Amino acid sequence: MDDRWENRAVLVNLLEPLGFQLTEAENGQRGLEKIRQSQPDLVITDLAMPVMNGFELLKQVRGDAALQHQKIIVSSASVAQADQQMSLDVGGDDFLAKPVEFSELFKLLAIHLNLKWIYEMTAASDSQLAPATASQPSEGTMLPSAVELKTLLDLAQKGNLKRLREHIEQLVHSNHHYAGFAAQVLQLAKQFKAEEIEALLQQYLSEEKAHV
């Protein structure tokens, strides 16, 4: 759960193609309601959220006899050791820093869900190992028009990642079906990987032309 759609979209776009079933919540109160309804195998929650923050959510869950064994990973951009320790002290099972490093996410999922990943080499430029299909876009990802893709590519080539992020957020506000596409690009933008954004956009532009 997270009050920012782009943070939720990153996880959804990454994990759903691997077979995970995800439920989203924009704040701790909604998250608590969904936990009570479905009792998921694992919860990933932000700390700073409106209505009910992550700390209060943890207290509520750990204070409920029916939910106290729920596995919860706290994910936050806070680098303060005190915040990280406090989230564990009030009931978090683990801590995942933002921006999310996929390798760390996969490691925590393996630990808390008792998973064993089957790895394959990807075509990523860093040649790192990643779970099979994890780097692939979701089937049916809706793409902006070729004109919009070229605009984004131009911004990436100029290194103007701030304007690129703003433009992508405007696209999603105009059509929420672009969320999957946006999540991929925003995750790279947060890590300042302009060259990888260029490669991704050029790939999508090629696909757009192939379908014309």
Side-chain angles (χ1 to χ4, degrees):
M1 60 198 74
D2 197 306
D3 59 317
R4 295 185 64 86
W5 67 265
E6 60 267 34
N7 292 335
R8 302 196 308 270
V10 165
L11 295 181
V12 170
N13 196 59
L14 176 69
L15 297 178
E16 280 192 344
L18 296 177
F20 290 89
Q21 294 181 355
L22 284 81
T23 300
E24 301 178 54
E26 65 276 11
N27 60 61
Q29 183 61 51
R30 286 289 295 136
L32 184 59
E33 292 170 4
K34 293 190 176 186
I35 290 172
R36 285 175 172 152
Q37 289 170 2
S38 59
Q39 296 195 14
D41 295 319
L42 180 69
V43 171
I44 300 177
T45 183
D46 189 20
L47 287 177
M49 296 180 290
V51 185
M52 179 189 291
N53 64 29
F55 292 120
E56 183 59 31
L57 170 74
L58 286 165
K59 292 177 183 177
Q60 292 280 343
V61 171
R62 297 308 179 215
D64 188 324
L67 303 177
Q68 59 186 358
H69 299 300
Q70 173 70 57
K71 294 179 181 179
I72 301 177
I73 293 176
V74 175
S75 183
S76 174
S78 173
V79 295
Q81 188 63 37
D83 283 346
Q84 296 183 26
Q85 189 58 51
M86 188 182 300
S87 67
L88 299 178
D89 289 344
V90 297
D93 291 291
D94 226 316
F95 189 89
L96 179 65
K98 291 180 182 177
V100 173
E101 290 289 340
F102 293 164
S103 59
E104 183 65 16
L105 171 63
F106 294 141
K107 183 182 79 172
L108 294 181
L109 291 177
I111 292 171
H112 296 288
L113 294 177
N114 194 27
L115 299 176
K116 184 175 181 180
W117 294 109
I118 299 174
Y119 289 88
E120 66 177 13
M121 290 300 294
T122 70
S125 59
D126 58 5
S127 298
Q128 292 181 338
L129 288 172
T133 75
S135 64
Q136 303 301 316
S138 301
E139 289 186 10
T141 296
M142 184 172 177
L143 299 178
S145 67
V147 173
E148 292 289 3
L149 289 173
K150 288 177 182 177
T151 298
L152 294 172
L153 178 59
D154 182 59
L155 291 170
Q157 290 172 334
K158 292 178 179 177
N160 193 344
L161 297 186
K162 179 180 178 181
R163 182 71 188 99
L164 180 142
R165 287 196 299 268
E166 292 173 350
H167 196 83
I168 288 178
E169 289 176 0
Q170 290 171 5
L171 282 175
V172 176
H173 284 307
S174 67
N175 189 334
H176 71 276
H177 290 107
Y178 294 144
F181 160 80
Q184 292 176 290
V185 180
L186 288 173
Q187 180 65 19
L188 293 173
K190 286 181 180 179
Q191 298 171 359
F192 303 101
K193 295 182 178 179
E195 291 183 0
E196 292 187 27
I197 293 174
E198 287 181 44
L200 181 64
L201 293 173
Q202 286 171 343
Q203 174 190 332
Y204 281 147
L205 271 169
S206 297
E207 292 176 3
E208 286 278 295
K209 291 177 181 177
H211 285 94
V212 173

